[in-house]
Amino acid sequence: MTRLFNDPTAFADELVEGFVAANRRWVRRVEGGVARRYRTPKGQVAVVIGGGSGHYPAFGGLVGPGLAHGAAMGNLFASPSAQQVYAVSKAAENGGGVFLSYGNYAGDVLNFDSAQQRLNDEGIPCRTVTVTDDISSAPMDQIARRRGIAGDLTVFKVAGAAAEEGADLDEVVRVAALANDRTRSIGVAFSGCTLPGADAPLFEVPEGRMAVGLGIHGEPGISETDVPTADGLAELFVSSLLGELPPGVEDANGQRAAVILNGLGTVKYEELFVVYRSVARLLEEAGVTVVEPEVGELVTSFDMAGASLTILWLDDELERLWSAAADTPAYRKGSIGAAQDEPTDDEADALEDEGDSASEAVPEASPASRAAATVVTALLETLAHEMDEHADELGRIDSVAGDGDHGIGMQRGASAALTAAKDAQQREAGAGTVLARAGDAWSNRAGGTSGALWGLALTTLGTRIGDDSDPAASDIAEAVQAAVDAIRGVGKAEVGDKTMVDAIVPFADRFREELDRGSAPGDALAAAALAATEAAAATSDLMPRMGRARPHAEKSLGSPDPGAHSFALIVTAIAAALPTVAAQPEQGTS
Ligand code: ADP
Ligand code: MG
């Protein structure tokens, strides 16, 4: 239960504000998250990490000499947007290129990849290693599909230490990838976490039982047992990890290893120490020499009761990097030497550009397109209202096999899109610009997979529709098709993978068919919305093959895909509102 908050939707922003106020020795606030307060030597690789908020000290708490240069901090449990990652990277970059690292989750991959592309396009070298340490999330032969949990820290630490030593970008990538290859984790949970303002936890574990293999967003575990004793948990942890030694480690006996016993949120340090007592003994019995272990909260999951064990199997190089000094708000070891004392630009300057493209001038638009913009804005209002109404329901559906953030993400994205649309429309923007601004705002604010894809869809619609004329139904059908293609191009999902694509494709197809048959646009939309609703309901019978829900495929059987369901809700609401909205007297046009 989260007891202390103001407006739940402001929670993530307010925590960054307070975090920075409390840690000015290390960090400054920049658009999208935080960066180091002091400038690093020219040419040093900038290690930029990030993810959703709710995992403190990941990610902002790990910024400082010897570790990260910047952290993109998304909303609660939602990946940062591409714009956030890009902005933090630009703030942290100092001539050595950017190294991105984060836990392997679909939404993060989409947003970080898009930021990487943008940096590369601007001539800033940028490369990525995603963290895939959680052995419960996919079998060994699909290791690239595994998600990242507390092993984030070993990979970030090794990369940060290498950058501090002066390694170039290729070298940082090499050692980080090596650390990731040799890091394995397993976690358990005793109870779910409850996000601020929510009235129920994201998931529940029955009293006296323990979910094995949890993800750090409360993704359900892969099996369940009775809660063991502390010694019993240590045995489960150690035997699981000794059971899956990474390539290059034939025998645990004689190895040296970095070990993290991590608390997920509400397990006490004292309990962790009791567990660690046995972890240390079991590893010693297996002939493993533990090097500089960490016992405490390193990668949390809000107020989840749970713990995880991580082992990084060391070689000489990794041991040097793991043991190197670091000085960050939440993680310190050794002595980092004299601080680099040239402060970076004043924070106020860094924050000046924050926000969406709201204040940018809007391009010239025809009166007809401005009239269409009024309709578009009204429909976005319907959309935002529909997401407010259904946020809890969508969160619940997403928590069956995903991370429970779909409702919050859609609500936040839709409301930001509406604000941006209203702003543009008031300044006499055409329909294309209103949609494109709404799309930018959506992906900037929402984060997550759905945020990136909805933002992309609206931006594509806007670019296609333009600001010249009142779009005809056939123009809209073409723009919708372009948006569908863009979503498939970026997300790589096809029909049958159990994603929003399952609802969007039948929607676009039916819309086009109805128009071809000569139906009125409003009727075509209503028929298409019905097709989307049926297709979204039918996703209940599918097993997810993409996205965050995939590791829990069988759990999601019988439950629809959240993104498909929200899409169906939205187009249904829009189809219902269209007759009223289109009949309104035009405002703000001349
Ligand atoms: P996240 O999965 O990052 O937490 P959300 O919960 O907001 O993001 O959205 C989840 C939805 O995103 C899924 O229900 C699915 O419809 C959609 N989705 C996930 N991965 C993809 C993909 N690769 N392509 C298209 N849609 C996807
Ligand atoms: Mg989700």
Side-chain angles (χ1 to χ4, degrees):
M1 194 70 206
T2 312
R3 296 174 188 84
L4 301 175
F5 53 89
N6 301 306
D7 169 4
T9 62
F11 190 89
D13 283 336
E14 291 182 356
L15 83 83
V16 179
E17 247 177 75
F19 166 68
V20 171
N23 291 286
R24 289 197 192 282
R25 182 154 89 74
W26 296 274
V27 296
R28 66 193 162 104
R29 188 155 190 200
V30 298
E31 181 189 348
V34 297
R36 282 196 203 171
R37 166 148 297 272
Y38 294 105
R39 204 177 283 293
T40 50
K42 183 94 190 135
Q44 187 172 100
V45 173
V47 173
V48 174
I49 61 176
S53 293
H55 305 302
Y56 193 84
F59 297 87
L62 303 176
V63 173
L67 235 160
H69 294 71
M73 298 165 78
N75 278 305
L76 286 177
F77 284 11
S79 87
S81 67
Q83 168 69 23
Q84 286 182 298
V85 177
Y86 168 82
V88 170
S89 300
K90 289 279 280 193
E93 204 271 337
N94 191 20
V98 175
F99 172 73
L100 297 176
S101 192
Y102 53 91
N104 184 37
Y105 296 90
D108 297 275
V109 172
L110 281 181
N111 287 293
F112 278 82
D113 275 359
S114 144
Q116 171 167 334
Q117 182 69 46
R118 204 166 144 195
L119 291 163
N120 283 330
D121 289 349
E122 283 180 18
I124 298 172
C126 176
R127 295 182 61 192
T128 296
V129 172
T130 53
V131 182
T132 55
D133 57 313
D134 182 1
I135 67 168
S136 309
S137 52
M140 181 72 168
D141 60 354
Q142 294 175 33
I143 197 161
R145 305 191 84 161
R146 286 182 175 175
R147 59 194 177 209
I149 53 174
D152 280 352
L153 179 64
T154 59
V155 177
F156 300 165
K157 175 67 182 65
V158 163
E164 202 71 46
E165 282 185 350
D168 66 13
L169 185 54
D170 287 345
E171 219 10 49
V172 173
V173 169
R174 184 184 65 76
V175 293
L178 180 66
N180 184 54
D181 284 347
R182 295 173 70 112
T183 297
R184 297 286 185 276
S185 300
I186 179 167
V188 297
F190 313 106
S191 78
C193 48
T194 308
L195 297 181
D199 42 24
L202 279 180
F203 74 98
E204 280 171 271
V205 182
E207 190 61 37
R209 304 281 286 171
M210 174 176 90
V212 181
L214 87 164
I216 54 172
H217 307 91
E219 297 96 331
I222 50 167
S223 66
E224 208 184 278
T225 64
D226 285 338
V227 175
T229 59
D231 287 351
L233 180 59
E235 254 158 54
L236 171 81
F237 276 163
V238 172
S239 63
S240 302
L241 296 187
L242 293 183
E244 206 211 273
L245 298 174
V249 182
E250 270 69 52
D251 184 358
N253 192 2
Q255 296 294 326
R256 296 172 70 78
V259 172
I260 302 171
L261 181 63
N262 178 52
L264 266 298
T266 48
V267 169
K268 286 282 302 171
Y269 274 70
E270 284 83 347
E271 293 172 277
L272 292 175
F273 289 133
V274 175
V275 175
Y276 188 72
R277 163 184 167 272
S278 293
V279 168
R281 179 179 49 80
L282 291 166
L283 287 173
E284 193 187 329
E285 281 168 14
V288 179
T289 305
V290 175
V291 178
E292 302 194 11
E294 294 289 338
V295 178
E297 295 190 352
L298 284 316
V299 179
T300 60
S301 181
F302 226 77
D303 60 344
M304 182 193 293
S308 63
L309 185 71
T310 298
I311 297 184
L312 162 59
W313 299 95
L314 297 167
D315 62 11
D316 289 348
E317 180 181 43
L318 291 173
E319 180 161 344
R320 185 186 80 241
L321 296 167
W322 171 250
S323 308
D327 184 24
T328 76
Y331 185 88
R332 293 164 214 168
K333 74 171 22 168
S335 162
I336 199 76
Q340 302 94 320
D341 52 7
E342 188 196 338
T344 44
D345 309 341
D346 185 48
E347 212 150 341
D349 292 348
L351 277 176
E352 211 167 75
D353 298 338
E354 181 146 42
D356 307 320
S357 46
S359 50
E360 270 173 46
V362 302
E364 194 80 29
S366 74
S369 182
R370 273 158 35 204
T374 315
V375 175
V376 167
T377 306
L379 293 177
L380 285 169
E381 185 135 34
T382 303
L383 190 169
H385 183 249
E386 187 71 3
M387 289 301 95
D388 285 342
E389 294 277 287
H390 291 273
D392 287 349
E393 175 197 345
L394 292 169
R396 270 198 308 279
I397 300 177
D398 190 30
S399 66
V400 172
D403 53 359
D405 66 350
H406 188 61
I408 298 181
M410 291 295 290
Q411 194 179 19
R412 198 178 283 122
S415 126
L418 177 61
T419 306
K422 279 184 173 158
D423 174 78
Q425 190 234 330
Q426 267 158 21
R427 291 185 294 126
E428 311 213 312
T433 296
V434 165
L435 278 165
R437 293 281 167 92
D440 284 345
W442 191 313
S443 51
N444 282 350
R445 285 294 294 159
T449 315
S450 63
L453 296 177
W454 268 93
L456 175 70
L458 293 188
T459 313
T460 307
L461 286 177
T463 314
R464 286 297 170 123
I465 284 172
D467 296 329
D468 288 341
S469 54
D470 183 12
S474 61
D475 300 333
I476 296 175
E478 258 163 45
V480 167
Q481 190 54 52
V484 175
D485 294 344
I487 287 176
R488 278 151 124 183
V490 168
K492 311 258 178 332
E494 282 309 328
V495 170
D497 288 344
K498 193 161 188 169
T499 70
M500 59 169 95
V501 168
D502 287 320
I504 297 175
V505 167
F507 170 85
D509 290 350
R510 177 66 69 83
F511 188 55
R512 154 70 61 202
E513 279 161 29
E514 291 289 328
L515 289 179
D516 287 349
R517 284 212 264 145
S519 303
D523 296 339
L525 181 61
L530 206 60
T533 305
E534 284 164 6
T539 60
S540 293
D541 303 331
L542 297 173
M543 297 271 262
R545 292 202 293 252
M546 297 295 282
R548 203 191 284 289
R550 193 199 44 78
H552 300 289
E554 62 300 331
K555 285 219 161 56
S556 97
L557 263 187
S559 179
D561 174 64
H565 184 58
S566 60
F567 178 80
L569 289 173
I570 286 170
V571 289
T572 304
I574 286 179
L578 185 65
T580 331
V581 165
Q584 298 266 320
E586 290 164 6
Q587 303 157 5
T589 59
S590 55

